Amino acid sequence: MATTSSMFMYSLTIQPPTSVTQAILGQFAGMKEQQIVTASGSRLTIHRPDPTQGKITTIFSQDVFGIIRTLAAFRLAGSSKDYIIIGSDSGRITIIEYIPSQNRFNRLHLETFGKSGIRRVIPGQYLAVDPKGRACLIASAEKNKLVYVLNRNAQAELTISSPLEAHKPQTLVFALVGLDVGYENPIFAVLEVDYTECDQDPTGQAFQEVEKSLVYYELDLGLNHVVRKWSDLVDRTASMLLQVPGGTDGPSGVLVCGLDNITYRHSNQDAFRVAIPRRRGVTENPERKRCITAGVMHRMRGAFFFLLQSEDGDLFKVTLDMVEDDNGQPTGEVKKLKIKYFDTVPIASTLCILKSGFLFVASETGNHHFYQFEKLGDDDNETEYDSDSFPADPTEPYTPVYFHPRSSENVNLVESIDSMNPQLDCKVANLTDEDAPQIYSICGSGARSTFRMLKHGLEVNDIVDSELPSVPAAVWTTKITRSDEFDAYIVLSFDNGTLVLSIGETVEEVTDTGFLSSASTLAVQQLGEDALIQVHPRGIRHIRADRRVNEWPAPQHRSIVAATTNERQVAVALSSGEIVYFEMDSDGSLAEYDEKREMSGTVTCLSLGEVPEGRVRSQLLAVGCDDSTVRILSLDPESTLENKSVQALTSAPSALSIMAMPDSTSGGSTLYLHIGLYSGVYLRTVLDEITGELSDTRTRFLGPKPAKLFKVSVKSEPAVLALSSRSWLGYSEPQTKNFMLTPLNYVPLEWGSNFSSAQCTEGIVGIQGQNLRIFSIEKLGSNLLQESIPLTYTPRKFVRHPEYPLFYTIESDNNTLSIATKQKLLNSQTIVNGDGIQLPPEEFGYPRAQGHWASCIHVVDPITAKSTLQQIDLTDNEAATTIAAVSFSSQSDETFLVVGTGKDITVSPRSSTAGFIYIYRFLEDGKELEFIHKTKTEQPPSALLAFQGRLLAGIGNELRIYDLGLKQLLRKCQAEVVPNLVVGLQTQGSRIIVSDVQESVVYVVYKYQENRLIPFVDDVVARWATCTTMVDYETVAGGDKFGNLWLLRCPQKASEEADEDGSGAHLVHERQYLQGAPNRLALMCHFYPQDIPTSIQKTQLVAGGRDILVWTGFQGTLGILVPFVSREDVDFFQTLEQHLRGEEAPLAGRDHLIYRSYYVPVKGMIDGDLCERYSLLPSDKKQMIAGELDRSVREIERKISDMRTRVAY
């Protein structure tokens, strides 16, 4: 097979995965405050919790191009900075530090110990650190454990020893933790099972009797080797260890968490055990045992406690009581273990308690939560259970204990951080008639699941919205003197006059400012130290601090049509096409330059840059004329108003702005000329400060109205507000310093200006119609806005109404009581005090019950009502499996909603007692559903699709065509087309693409005359398909359960043969090839994005953009695949990617090429996420790569940014 592909795609991530697999706390910046470092798939992110505002902000995020399996923070004794150890799939241990001054991660050590990939005998699965930072233990799921000694050398740099082995063959590791032993030899506690006997016993008897033990491994620092120090048997269900403080703070040892019990163990102490309290209530099963899924230990002065979380999300506070000596001081001996109910929070993958009194919950599903502690639950009336009432021996029976869950008292939610994990399906559609489509997706699980609408934009914080007496044309704000901190006046220009408002506690009209109120205003500026300037059509008004007014009148029969100002210069354009230039004298008066400069056409706009630091003037003036040109004129005293350069445009310029902005290419700040055209196009071009040359032009279409540009300041960085039919903000991305242009999620404005007052230090004032609006922009980090609508159960699939902006979701949860069963329980039993209390499921989850299903269908309106309109609950232990909107030609093309369900489904091994296909009719423009009838099938339908005016259904491994009858569906045709289970259907014409759960895709053709379904081409690789879409008639794109994306194409000859007229007999009698179809699909592209694709579709994301493939991942990823148009671009990006693999090697030591080829060698794909790391390289490396590619650095950055901005955000 040829290694070069004839088709190339560029893979980009629009939203990185949002699920957090692990979070660690530490002082990674070397300062007093703590940061949180999270791992999401292959992404490492550092966050800064702000205790004053109760918010979490992301500081920096980096893709390590490897799977992060474990993280640990450690600190060398005596230092104030924490380092991060990463255990990944690279077969290496990585130690990194965060450098706050450069805002990046820096790799300190990379030690290879094994093969790459996730294997059961290669360490990396477990990682534990000695609390005093002297050593770390990295272990595999089986056999191998390596200890690294950490130290510092004479230069105070971190050093790492060669590994010390603590291997034990045929031993499985379940949990691992570093013991707190003060400054004695470091000890690591491990939960192990030796399976030697199980392996040799065919009867299975040995497996029933297998024992789990807690083992202490000691690192002898003197002899430099590791020994097994102590071992003892523990409960067989034990699955988690937590470190107990030692040394001067506590007794040392570990908490061992198992099913329904928690035990304190240590080599020189007795065992103490408590049961995990169970929920009490009518709907709860009193026999169900809980286990601990997450936990955290927190030390305070002279005390410590644990918060442990059960699988229901309930937090329990666990404490240890010490034996006291004669003076009342605690000794190192434990007296008892105590447990009590604390609060309920979402089920977490990691819990972190901050010293500032906050709790960070990295949720397993749904949004992550940031709580503040109100109290520590010491003085509430919850029952406390202690170890005196439970036997220490794990085999002895005991009476279970119960508690009543209640709403939170001890913690208070201060912030919810958006997370779309797990994301189960997604559709891109334009339902709001904006210029760009929105992304609709279903995500979350159980009662915390949501329907989300994402759109491209920045969040805007609205502060003031007040109506004005008539419609203003423009607005400015100005200070009175240069040293003022805040603005003093808002100046509004109307068609026939000017209104001045003063800014204070309230905003009021003032008349004694010296401004001319009888004419409209063209520009307002605070000039020099303490003067003001007003430019109006009939002249320029210079208002001194002592209210003296100097007036420069416009020449006779001419008026001023455009003006630009800065704090020392003024330039105006007259209606005759002349430009008049003024500069401030040493005495503060304005001096006119002797000669006027005539332009070739009418001047439409002007711009002067700010006066650079330490200079007296801005050297350049930009002039836009109606002959579609921009000219750059010099303002140097030697060559005033002489032409420096000219740029031709596609349409007349409507606005110009010269601004210095941070720049990723030079690393400093660069002068840009921003140009807005009457056609609604925005251009940004680099302006050379010496020669006035314009280079590196980037364009973007803003909307159909003429573009206006205004200089504003956001997050104390210069930004450009661009207004057309929508409002846009151009700013430097905080992390990469790349220029971003993002629409504001706000009303379209006609004019804007900076606004700064005591109440709002950094805002923007704008005009919308007759309203004056003041707003601020808080977050520049994320440019996707989310709105969510809560759903009832875990959503499985959803479908859009063919005409109206409505969606229909199917939701189902396994092992959950349905509404009917729950009601029956509540009505039937004699309810004892407090047992009948119904708790909100979004906080406490639904009552669990083995083998039960809860399922429903929702009508969702994301546009007008922004809520669910109707809920249809399924009864009889049925669960919805699939959904489609089908128009039946037998019913004069009326569209019906078709839902497939299964009764008594067991997920694994797959079984059910029956399947049904429900038919619903749309009423009230689709806002209501009316049940028509249901048809029984042998198995639950796993895929439904509208096909040539009938219904195509995948049931088991059969494909069927149904038509709509009066009492039920009528089966018209069926065929076995796949080996296992149909999971997806796509169609064009008579061709159907069927995906199998584990055997990739099969192309089937339907022959109408014969009424036959004939498979004619299938695949060579067994792909576990999760989603597919047709890219064109021959090509299909899809994803599989192992996290791959691929494009397959049908051979031209086979495709043409399948579509030949006639009965299809030639296809039926063609010779099978290796028990499959006669032909095979060819692999065009293959890529490993590290998230399981759950949906893929061909669509556009921006107005006027090309067709691209948008895919979504299970962990909340949004990604795109962009096809390349020219071979030249492919060669350029391939070479760039090759250089970056060498120069910017992945942080955790994984080889990038091998990582992207995890299961199948990467083919026909270029990794855009790696290419975009080019802008973060140091400038010497950028220059080197640019030299190799024979391009300039700017050119490379432009090509990289164009790949993204032309098709996406």
Side-chain angles (χ1 to χ4, degrees), residues 991 1003 1016-1017 1034-1035 1048-1052 1054-1055 1080-1082:
R991 180 170 297 179
Y1003 283 37
F1016 64 94
V1017 56
E1034 259 83 43
T1035 318
L1048 304 169
R1049 184 167 283 170
C1050 175
Q1052 191 69 37
S1055 176
R1080 292 291 177 265
L1081 294 165

Side-chain angles (χ1 to χ4, degrees), residues 273-295:
R273 191 163 79 130
V274 291
I276 299 172
R278 306 176 189 178
R279 284 189 181 181
R280 191 185 284 284
V282 185
T283 53
E284 293 292 340
N285 173 7
E287 296 306 307
R288 185 163 76 88
K289 296 178 177 182
R290 315 299 204 268
C291 61
I292 297 296
T293 55

Side-chain angles (χ1 to χ4, degrees), residues 562-835:
T564 176
T565 59
N566 63 29
E567 62 252 40
R568 300 186 61 88
Q569 296 157 289
V570 178
V572 296
L574 303 178
S575 50
S576 56
E578 292 167 312
I579 287 179
V580 192
Y581 169 63
F582 302 84
E583 200 170 298
M584 199 175 79
D585 274 355
S586 50
D587 64 347
S589 60
L590 272 185
E592 181 185 347
Y593 178 67
D594 304 341
E595 296 169 29
K596 298 181 175 61
R597 167 73 196 262
E598 283 240 17
M599 302 308 281
S600 54
T602 309
V603 177
T604 56
C605 47
L606 297 167
S607 176
L608 277 166
E610 293 286 312
V611 178
E613 195 81 28
R615 299 272 182 90
V616 292
R617 66 176 68 80
S618 165
Q619 300 280 2
L620 303 169
L621 170 69
V623 183
C625 300
D626 65 355
D627 56 358
S628 299
T629 59
V630 168
R631 287 181 168 75
I632 304 295
L633 308 183
S634 164
L635 297 179
D636 206 46
E638 273 75 62
S639 57
T640 311
L641 297 186
E642 281 184 19
N643 215 351
K644 283 211 150 194
S645 67
V646 63
Q647 166 98 29
L649 305 165
T650 53
S651 144
S654 54
L656 294 172
S657 176
I658 297 178
M659 276 171 68
M661 289 182 81
D663 174 29
S664 63
T665 310
S666 63
S669 109
T670 301
L671 204 61
Y672 290 104
L673 172 63
H674 302 269
I675 309 170
L677 306 183
Y678 275 101
S679 57
V681 172
Y682 159 84
L683 297 97
R684 182 186 77 131
T685 162
V686 176
L687 178 59
D688 190 301
E689 299 179 35
I690 312 300
T691 62
E693 289 294 319
L694 297 172
S695 60
D696 186 32
T697 306
R698 312 211 183 163
T699 60
R700 186 77 178 263
F701 176 62
L702 302 182
K705 286 167 72 176
K708 299 192 189 112
L709 306 174
F710 305 95
K711 181 182 173 181
V712 293
S713 154
V714 176
K715 296 275 176 224
S716 44
E717 291 278 0
V720 58
L721 181 70
L723 306 178
S724 173
S725 53
R726 283 173 88 178
S727 312
W728 298 70
L729 186 77
Y731 58 97
S732 296
E733 210 267 318
Q735 198 167 314
T736 58
K737 295 287 177 267
N738 284 341
F739 183 74
M740 306 271 282
L741 193 66
T742 311
L744 299 179
N745 184 31
Y746 205 50
V747 292
L749 300 171
E750 276 96 62
W751 198 276
S753 173
N754 239 352
F755 176 82
S756 175
S757 73
Q759 287 79 26
C760 165
T761 48
E762 209 174 41
I764 297 170
V765 56
I767 295 169
Q768 175 242 337
Q770 204 172 323
N771 291 13
L772 182 75
R773 287 178 172 259
I774 300 175
F775 60 93
S776 67
I777 296 162
E778 301 292 331
K779 279 187 190 163
L780 289 181
S782 76
N783 59 357
L784 277 176
L785 291 164
Q786 295 190 12
E787 282 183 29
S788 58
I789 298 168
L791 300 173
T792 310
Y793 305 114
T794 306
R796 303 291 169 174
K797 289 193 174 73
F798 74 131
V799 64
R800 190 194 151 185
H801 192 286
E803 294 156 48
Y804 302 106
L806 296 168
F807 286 98
Y808 305 90
T809 64
I810 50 167
E811 299 154 39
S812 58
D813 269 327
N814 195 4
N815 296 337
T816 301
L817 284 182
S818 67
I819 288 185
T821 324
K822 206 158 76 178
Q823 242 0 89
K824 213 157 75 184
L825 283 170
L826 284 170
N827 297 342
S828 68
Q829 289 182 338
T830 48
I831 293 175
V832 198
N833 52 0
D835 279 4

Side-chain angles (χ1 to χ4, degrees), residues 284-457:
E284 293 292 340
N285 173 7
E287 296 306 307
R288 185 163 76 88
K289 296 178 177 182
R290 315 299 204 268
C291 61
I292 297 296
T293 55
V296 62
M297 182 268 293
H298 185 63
R299 309 167 186 246
M300 300 168 298
R301 281 199 186 88
F304 62 89
F305 66 90
F306 294 85
L307 283 186
L308 305 182
Q309 188 180 39
S310 73
E311 75 236 59
D312 294 330
D314 300 321
L315 286 178
F316 298 102
K317 182 179 174 182
V318 174
T319 49
L320 291 167
D321 274 6
M322 304 290 172
V323 176
E324 293 180 351
D325 62 13
D326 304 336
N327 306 333
Q329 292 299 312
T331 60
E333 200 179 327
V334 178
K335 189 164 70 178
K336 58 180 160 191
L337 182 65
K338 299 201 280 194
I339 186 166
K340 68 193 281 194
Y341 172 60
F342 188 73
D343 261 337
T344 301
V345 298
I347 298 170
S349 57
T350 315
L351 298 166
C352 296
I353 298 179
L354 282 74
K355 285 183 180 151
S356 49
F358 288 89
L359 170 70
F360 174 64
V361 176
S363 309
E364 266 190 10
T365 66
N367 290 359
H368 307 303
H369 283 184
F370 194 47
Y371 293 92
Q372 184 165 16
F373 282 101
E374 298 292 323
K375 55 189 203 310
L376 291 176
D378 296 327
D379 46 1
D380 55 13
N381 47 16
E382 288 294 332
T383 324
E384 189 165 53
Y385 301 103
D386 62 31
S387 51
D388 295 348
S389 36
F390 302 99
D393 180 9
T395 53
E396 285 184 37
Y398 55 85
T399 6
V401 290
Y402 297 94
F403 72 96
H404 281 297
R406 50 156 170 75
S407 52
S408 294
E409 287 177 4
N410 300 309
V411 292
N412 171 29
L413 181 64
V414 286
E415 195 190 10
S416 175
I417 301 142
D418 279 335
S419 167
M420 293 175 62
N421 159 57
Q423 183 167 233
L424 295 139
D425 200 356
C426 172
K427 304 258 187 287
V428 178
N430 190 357
L431 303 185
T432 52
D433 291 332
E434 290 174 13
D435 49 4
Q438 306 84 44
I439 300 169
Y440 298 91
S441 88
I442 46 174
C443 38
S445 71
R448 299 184 70 234
S449 49
T450 49
F451 179 100
R452 299 207 183 196
M453 171 175 140
L454 281 82
K455 69 176 192 186
H456 184 216

Side-chain angles (χ1 to χ4, degrees), residues 754-1000:
N754 239 352
F755 176 82
S756 175
S757 73
Q759 287 79 26
C760 165
T761 48
E762 209 174 41
I764 297 170
V765 56
I767 295 169
Q768 175 242 337
Q770 204 172 323
N771 291 13
L772 182 75
R773 287 178 172 259
I774 300 175
F775 60 93
S776 67
I777 296 162
E778 301 292 331
K779 279 187 190 163
L780 289 181
S782 76
N783 59 357
L784 277 176
L785 291 164
Q786 295 190 12
E787 282 183 29
S788 58
I789 298 168
L791 300 173
T792 310
Y793 305 114
T794 306
R796 303 291 169 174
K797 289 193 174 73
F798 74 131
V799 64
R800 190 194 151 185
H801 192 286
E803 294 156 48
Y804 302 106
L806 296 168
F807 286 98
Y808 305 90
T809 64
I810 50 167
E811 299 154 39
S812 58
D813 269 327
N814 195 4
N815 296 337
T816 301
L817 284 182
S818 67
I819 288 185
T821 324
K822 206 158 76 178
Q823 242 0 89
K824 213 157 75 184
L825 283 170
L826 284 170
N827 297 342
S828 68
Q829 289 182 338
T830 48
I831 293 175
V832 198
N833 52 0
D835 279 4
I837 295 171
Q838 283 296 289
L839 293 162
E842 49 277 7
E843 285 177 40
F844 296 91
Y846 291 108
R848 321 281 293 164
Q850 203 67 33
H852 284 257
W853 282 87
S855 183
C856 70
I857 303 163
H858 265 137
V859 182
V860 183
D861 177 357
I863 307 302
T864 44
K866 296 198 174 176
S867 67
T868 51
L869 304 177
Q870 186 186 5
Q871 175 170 339
I872 299 171
D873 285 298
L874 299 181
T875 52
D876 277 350
N877 208 25
E878 279 180 50
T881 54
T882 177
I883 186 168
V886 182
S887 69
F888 287 97
S889 39
S890 59
Q891 301 288 324
S892 57
D893 286 338
E894 187 187 343
T895 305
F896 292 86
L897 188 70
V898 184
V899 178
T901 70
K903 187 171 159 59
D904 306 325
I905 300 176
T906 312
V907 181
S908 174
R910 196 167 51 239
S911 72
S912 60
T913 52
F916 295 97
I917 301 178
Y918 284 74
I919 303 287
Y920 292 93
R921 178 177 263 128
F922 295 119
L923 304 176
E924 309 270 333
D925 294 347
K927 289 178 185 167
E928 275 184 32
L929 297 175
E930 179 193 22
F931 174 64
I932 307 289
H933 58 63
K934 67 177 183 179
T935 308
K936 190 170 179 178
T937 58
E938 311 83 76
Q939 291 184 38
S942 46
L944 299 170
L945 185 69
F947 177 69
Q948 297 183 354
R950 299 197 275 186
L951 169 69
L952 190 63
I955 296 166
N957 62 351
E958 287 181 351
L959 197 57
R960 295 186 185 167
I961 295 178
Y962 284 101
D963 209 339
L964 188 62
L966 285 175
K967 291 286 177 66
Q968 64 170 29
L969 289 168
L970 312 171
R971 193 186 313 183
K972 295 292 182 190
C973 171
Q974 76 173 38
E976 275 192 32
V977 292
V978 294
N980 305 298
L981 175 73
V982 176
V983 290
L985 296 169
Q986 303 289 332
T987 180
Q988 273 185 33
S990 297
R991 180 170 297 179
I992 304 160
I993 294 186
V994 185
S995 35
D996 181 74
V997 68
Q998 69 184 64
E999 291 288 343
S1000 192

